Amino acid sequence: MDSDDDFMSAVSSEDDVLPDDSENEDMSDAEDFDFDDEPDPDLGMSKDFGVKKKVPFDINFKVFHPSDIQKQQDDLINEVNMILDISKEEAAILLRHFRWNKERLLEDSMDKQRQVFEAAGLAQTSAGPPRLETIPGFVCDICCEEGEGLQSFAIKCGHRYCVDCYRHYLSQKIRGEGEAARIQCPADGCNLIIDSRSLDLLVMPELTGRYHELLNRTYVEDKDTLKWCPAPDCQNAIECGVKKKELDKVVPTVACDCGHRFCFGCILNDHQPAPCELVKKWLKKCADDSETANWISANTKECPKCNSTIEKNGGCNHMTCRKCKHEFCWMCMGLWSEHGTSWYSCNRFEEKSGTEARDAQARSRVSLERYLHYYNRYANHEQSARLDKNIYQKTETKMVQLQKESGMSWIEVQYLNSASQALQTCRQTLMWTYAFAFYLARNNLTEIFEDNQKDLEMAVEALSGMFEKNVTELSDPKLKVEIMDKTAYCNKRRIILLEDTAANLAEGRWTFNVELTSGAAASSSHRR
Amino acid sequence: MPPAAGFATKRLGKELQKIHNSLPPGIDLVSAENFEEWFLDIRVLDSNPLYKDQTYRLKFKFSSSYPIEPPEVVFVKLPDRPIPIHPHIYSNGIICLDLLGQQGWSPVQNVESVCMSLQSMLTGNTKDERPPGDEDFVRANRLRPKDIDFFYHDNNV
Ligand SMILES: [Zn+2]
Ligand SMILES: [Zn+2]
Ligand SMILES: [Zn+2]
Ligand SMILES: [Zn+2]
Ligand SMILES: [Zn+2]
Ligand SMILES: [Zn+2]
């Protein structure tokens, strides 16, 4: 347990460090995490709090590349292989059985090797390397084939089948069922695991690749502190110490080296400031109510003045009708000219009370309106973020043109790139502030939150408007400075908002109008 | 590497030969006209009042990967062949039994051994009930039995 000691000595000099209560928590949670008593990597946000001054919504994590994952596994396998005097393939089977908890494995194997080996699906006897055999009089129990020269194979249990059947069986397990770490002997009721050397001997090379890939996956999947980056084609994994039961206190956003930002708790795209459980509830609600809400998310609306159909083609909410030049807000359809000063009314839903709420019909209408208010804004930012992304792709071309027109260098036009990225991240955050706000019960903190939301929203719309200007306008150096300033301002407003929401979440100061159960109550299903 | 054509056929041919010679008591072959679909009847041999004097019809469907993949086995309803009442048998004949799932299946199992397992599953049962949620399941299910992810929560029934 030397890493625990390291941790203690590392922080004992700090006075303001939070007490490390992870040990106690592990005890109470023992049945959920059977093998979770290994030393925690020093990654949890509470632990590091006193060591390094960090913004409260920033959590510690580490990106693992495929070679790192492989090396960690190989190191553990080699170590167990040497200490226990078993083959590497057997060491790997044991380690997988113990979910890569080496200390636990060694301890248990010293005490009760027989039981441990049996539970892990390892034979007690040691035999030579696996080989194919031709045995006179052999009849295969799977295909009922017999005959001279029929090649057969058995692992240490001695259940022998012909090579052809073995290959079909393994191919079905690997390709059909995606199984690798726990492929058992084909015999009925035999729990012995087929090791990787036997497998390599039996199956075709193209299947071996898939098999080892699946084996590697189990390393990450078996460890609660490791998760795959969900970005398509990304092979990296992320290590993070935030535990399931902490998810009502922290939104653990991590960023992979591939650029993808996601929540370590639920693997969805970054959803700060809303905690995972609210996100789950919100997405379910949106799916359930999608028909009612469909009309809002539509890409087209009618101009409030001339009724001609207008398609939203950029991320900005400031719409100008091509036909009548009427300027209005996409979200509320109100006059744009009023928005400079009264954006407020577009951002916050005024709770309706009194007479209207008295009869049941009105109440349900108010509750639908309330939902639609937040959903409208949520969907709007979701859509705008998507459109901003397209615009960024077009921006590449724009940046090239701008270089020509203004004589700026490639480096000098990078500010458009930064602006585009700021727009993406800020919209992502804004989007989730509306889901967050939907579940937020009013207290003395909600006003600050709404002000922060409003400030960020205004800044983002302003930046989005500048960002969409054409190349000729953009070559004005004054606009460049404005865009750079606004980009920095957007990023700053986003951090201010997230700092506030994260700090209050960590302290449990928000009240939600739904129950937050935290990660402790894992949902159990009757199907698997 | 999917098994070559004829892999299942060969094995089923051998099984059929054996079945024609003899079958355990309470199990009868009804028809085996091809190597895709067979019908068998089973009866419970003891005097379990739940199944007394009843015969049940089983339908086996084999894929070309049989016996590497399990067969699809369901009870079928006919005027004189009811669906046996059992906490693991839905009223549409679908059976929730781990040995028929990919995890529980072993390629050394065969038609005869599956029939015997079902026989003993009935013999040992005392509960006059369908699986929980039977009605909803029967109404909503459009999946083939092999695609249903059963959770075998109680293998002792
Ligand atoms: Zn064979
Ligand atoms: Zn075996
Ligand atoms: Zn990645
Ligand atoms: Zn999450
Ligand atoms: Zn118009
Ligand atoms: Zn508006």
Side-chain angles (χ1 to χ4, degrees):
Chain A
M1 292 282 201
D2 46 16
S3 62
D4 257 356
D5 297 338
D6 285 352
F7 166 68
M8 293 311 286
S9 59
V11 295
S12 54
S13 57
E14 300 279 343
D15 289 326
D16 56 347
V17 74
L18 294 176
D20 177 19
D21 54 357
S22 61
E23 299 264 59
N24 302 331
E25 279 167 18
D26 274 344
M27 299 286 277
S28 66
D29 224 33
E31 66 235 321
D32 289 342
F33 301 98
D34 227 355
F35 299 112
D36 198 28
D37 52 357
E38 62 188 306
D40 289 322
D42 302 338
L43 294 161
M45 89 171 230
S46 55
K47 279 185 174 178
D48 227 14
F49 202 69
V51 181
K52 223 187 312 172
K53 183 70 192 152
K54 288 212 133 212
V55 278
F57 65 87
D58 239 355
I59 55 144
N60 274 330
F61 61 89
K62 206 177 146 201
V63 181
F64 280 58
H65 293 258
S67 55
D68 305 325
I69 302 170
Q70 189 62 54
K71 191 177 175 309
Q72 282 206 346
Q73 282 189 74
D74 291 347
D75 288 352
L76 282 166
I77 290 171
N78 288 338
E79 210 175 319
V80 171
N81 158 246
M82 260 152 29
I83 297 174
L84 287 188
D85 192 28
I86 51 178
S87 76
K88 284 188 184 176
E89 292 71 35
E90 290 171 321
I93 290 174
L94 269 188
L95 274 161
R96 283 184 201 109
H97 178 68
F98 280 92
R99 296 184 65 191
W100 300 91
N101 187 333
K102 184 194 71 197
E103 283 78 17
R104 176 80 165 269
L105 182 162
L106 293 176
E107 224 169 88
D108 284 15
S109 305
M110 304 293 179
D111 292 352
K112 33 185 196 237
Q113 175 155 341
R114 177 168 285 273
Q115 290 98 307
V116 165
F117 275 36
E118 200 181 305
L122 273 187
Q124 309 289 338
T125 55
S126 54
R131 59 198 175 97
L132 307 182
E133 282 181 84
T134 314
I135 291 170
F138 165 75
V139 184
C140 173
D141 275 344
I142 296 177
C143 62
C144 307
E145 204 68 65
E146 54 200 306
E148 253 172 76
L150 186 63
Q151 279 202 310
S152 66
F153 181 79
I155 49 173
K156 286 174 182 171
C157 56
H159 298 121
R160 183 167 291 281
Y161 304 101
C162 82
V163 168
D164 217 26
C165 284
Y166 237 114
R167 281 188 185 138
H168 290 325
Y169 175 74
L170 293 171
S171 134
Q172 163 68 18
K173 289 285 169 196
I174 295 164
R175 191 155 293 157
E177 297 168 33
E179 183 62 73
R182 291 203 63 84
I183 303 179
Q184 297 177 336
C185 165
D188 190 25
C190 180
N191 299 325
L192 231 56
I193 304 280
I194 299 170
D195 61 281
S196 59
R197 262 178 94 190
S198 301
L199 199 126
D200 290 345
L201 175 78
L202 286 162
V203 302
M204 304 301 160
E206 76 264 19
L207 212 56
T208 328
R210 174 78 183 131
Y211 170 75
H212 286 279
E213 189 188 314
L214 287 167
L215 271 190
N216 267 355
R217 295 203 78 88
T218 70
Y219 179 71
V220 171
E221 277 146 27
D222 280 350
K223 296 193 81 153
D224 294 320
T225 53
L226 274 180
K227 275 175 189 164
W228 292 108
C229 168
D233 302 324
C234 181
Q235 309 277 317
N236 299 340
I238 309 276
E239 186 177 50
C240 174
V242 171
K243 295 206 170 77
K244 228 175 167 182
K245 56 179 178 283
E246 296 167 326
L247 291 177
D248 59 338
K249 294 271 180 286
V250 57
V251 185
T253 299
V254 296
C256 179
D257 287 353
C258 74
H260 184 61
R261 291 158 44 79
F262 66 99
C263 168
F264 191 81
C266 66
I267 312 299
L268 292 173
N269 287 357
D270 170 27
H271 56 69
Q272 281 170 338
C276 295
E277 208 184 327
L278 288 187
V279 168
K280 212 170 118 197
K281 280 190 163 61
W282 174 256
L283 290 176
K284 184 172 183 305
K285 181 161 182 61
C286 291
D288 291 350
D289 296 358
S290 63
E291 253 152 69
T292 347
N294 252 348
W295 60 274
I296 314 166
S297 58
N299 263 318
T300 56
K301 278 184 186 173
E302 283 177 2
C303 165
K305 204 169 168 195
C306 75
N307 291 332
S308 63
T309 307
I310 293 173
E311 197 177 321
K312 195 170 191 225
N313 55 12
C316 176
N317 282 322
H318 179 188
M319 305 307 292
T320 309
C321 173
R322 228 173 261 157
K323 215 166 152 193
C324 72
K325 306 287 178 226
H326 178 62
E327 291 181 62
F328 63 99
C329 163
W330 177 263
M331 264 205 270
C332 68
M333 305 297 280
L335 278 177
W336 184 258
S337 54
E338 290 171 0
H339 273 71
T341 48
S342 61
W343 183 266
Y344 188 62
S345 61
C346 191
N347 153 57
R348 194 176 107 181
F349 181 80
E350 310 289 345
E351 304 271 351
K352 295 199 173 114
S353 59
T355 52
E356 210 186 347
R358 248 170 237 136
D359 81 283
Q361 225 188 338
R363 242 197 322 273
S364 86
R365 218 186 71 225
V366 167
S367 111
L368 178 65
E369 270 177 30
R370 182 177 182 276
Y371 164 66
L372 288 179
H373 168 88
Y374 290 107
Y375 178 77
N376 193 355
R377 280 142 189 83
Y378 165 86
N380 177 65
H381 283 297
E382 188 188 36
Q383 193 202 334
S384 295
R386 234 181 292 142
L387 292 171
D388 280 337
K389 203 171 198 169
N390 290 338
I391 283 169
Y392 168 66
Q393 277 146 15
K394 284 182 226 147
T395 306
E396 286 249 338
T397 337
K398 224 175 184 176
M399 284 159 78
V400 175
Q401 287 174 349
L402 187 56
Q403 275 181 275
K404 284 198 194 119
E405 200 146 323
S406 66
M408 282 191 260
S409 71
W410 183 244
I411 305 284
E412 283 171 316
V413 295
Q414 284 304 310
Y415 73 96
L416 279 181
N417 192 355
S418 315
S420 165
Q421 272 169 10
L423 281 173
Q424 294 272 327
T425 7
C426 291
R427 285 209 190 273
Q428 180 89 2
T429 304
L430 273 174
M431 173 178 131
W432 286 109
T433 61
Y434 284 109
F436 183 73
F438 176 73
Y439 292 108
L440 205 55
R442 290 215 150 263
N443 65 20
N444 54 340
L445 296 167
T446 41
E447 209 149 311
I448 299 169
F449 165 72
E450 278 170 354
D451 284 350
N452 285 336
Q453 186 186 37
K454 182 190 67 186
D455 286 350
L456 179 60
E457 181 123 47
M458 284 178 78
V460 164
E461 293 307 339
L463 180 60
S464 188
M466 295 178 198
F467 186 75
E468 273 165 55
K469 295 244 156 84
N470 63 39
V471 178
T472 323
E473 288 170 293
L474 283 172
S475 50
D476 177 359
K478 235 177 77 193
L479 185 57
K480 177 181 171 177
V481 175
E482 277 176 43
I483 289 182
M484 287 171 74
D485 285 352
K486 201 52 105 180
T487 302
Y489 184 71
C490 282
N491 288 333
K492 197 180 105 197
R493 292 312 312 179
R494 176 175 168 271
I495 286 170
I496 288 172
L497 185 145
L498 289 181
E499 273 179 349
D500 173 66
T501 47
N504 288 326
L505 187 70
E507 301 295 324
R509 283 193 293 249
W510 295 116
T511 8
F512 298 107
N513 48 34
V514 285
E515 192 81 22
L516 273 202
T517 53
S518 98
S523 64
S524 65
S525 135
H526 284 280
R527 302 266 161 94
R528 69 170 177 204
Chain B
M1 187 182 61
F7 182 80
T9 310
K10 204 165 192 173
R11 153 83 180 247
L12 284 165
K14 299 245 168 132
E15 281 195 48
L16 199 57
Q17 240 173 32
K18 200 176 158 244
I19 285 174
H20 280 313
N21 285 337
S22 77
L23 266 175
I27 302 174
D28 294 295
L29 181 69
V30 178
S31 70
E33 276 153 22
N34 51 45
F35 293 126
E36 276 146 38
E37 208 171 80
W38 292 5
F39 291 91
L40 287 98
D41 275 349
I42 62 166
R43 276 173 296 118
V44 169
L45 296 173
D46 71 355
S47 55
N48 187 335
L50 287 173
Y51 310 111
K52 200 170 171 288
D53 301 327
Q54 290 289 355
T55 306
Y56 304 105
R57 175 73 43 95
L58 283 168
K59 180 167 91 176
F60 281 73
K61 277 182 91 155
F62 310 101
S63 76
S64 60
S65 303
Y66 177 81
I68 300 300
E69 272 188 56
E72 202 175 287
V73 187
V74 293
F75 283 102
V76 285
K77 196 170 175 168
L78 294 168
D80 56 342
R81 298 282 185 271
I83 306 290
I85 189 106
H86 188 284
H88 286 182
I89 301 171
Y90 289 93
S91 48
N92 58 4
I94 288 181
I95 307 160
C96 169
L97 178 65
D98 68 340
L99 88 87
L100 295 175
Q102 292 195 320
Q103 294 300 316
W105 174 254
S106 156
V108 299
Q109 300 274 10
N110 54 43
V111 173
E112 184 186 310
S113 70
V114 169
C115 287
M116 288 170 70
S117 300
L118 288 169
Q119 240 183 347
S120 79
M121 179 173 134
L122 295 182
T123 307
N125 178 45
T126 53
K127 290 185 187 155
D128 185 11
E129 57 191 47
R130 293 277 177 216
D134 177 55
E135 252 175 65
D136 289 343
F137 174 78
V138 169
R139 199 181 324 114
N141 182 52
R142 298 280 171 275
L143 290 175
R144 301 192 40 192
K146 74 180 181 81
D147 296 326
I148 304 171
D149 244 349
F150 283 120
F151 174 57
Y152 308 104
H153 50 280
D154 178 8
N155 289 320
N156 304 319
V157 179

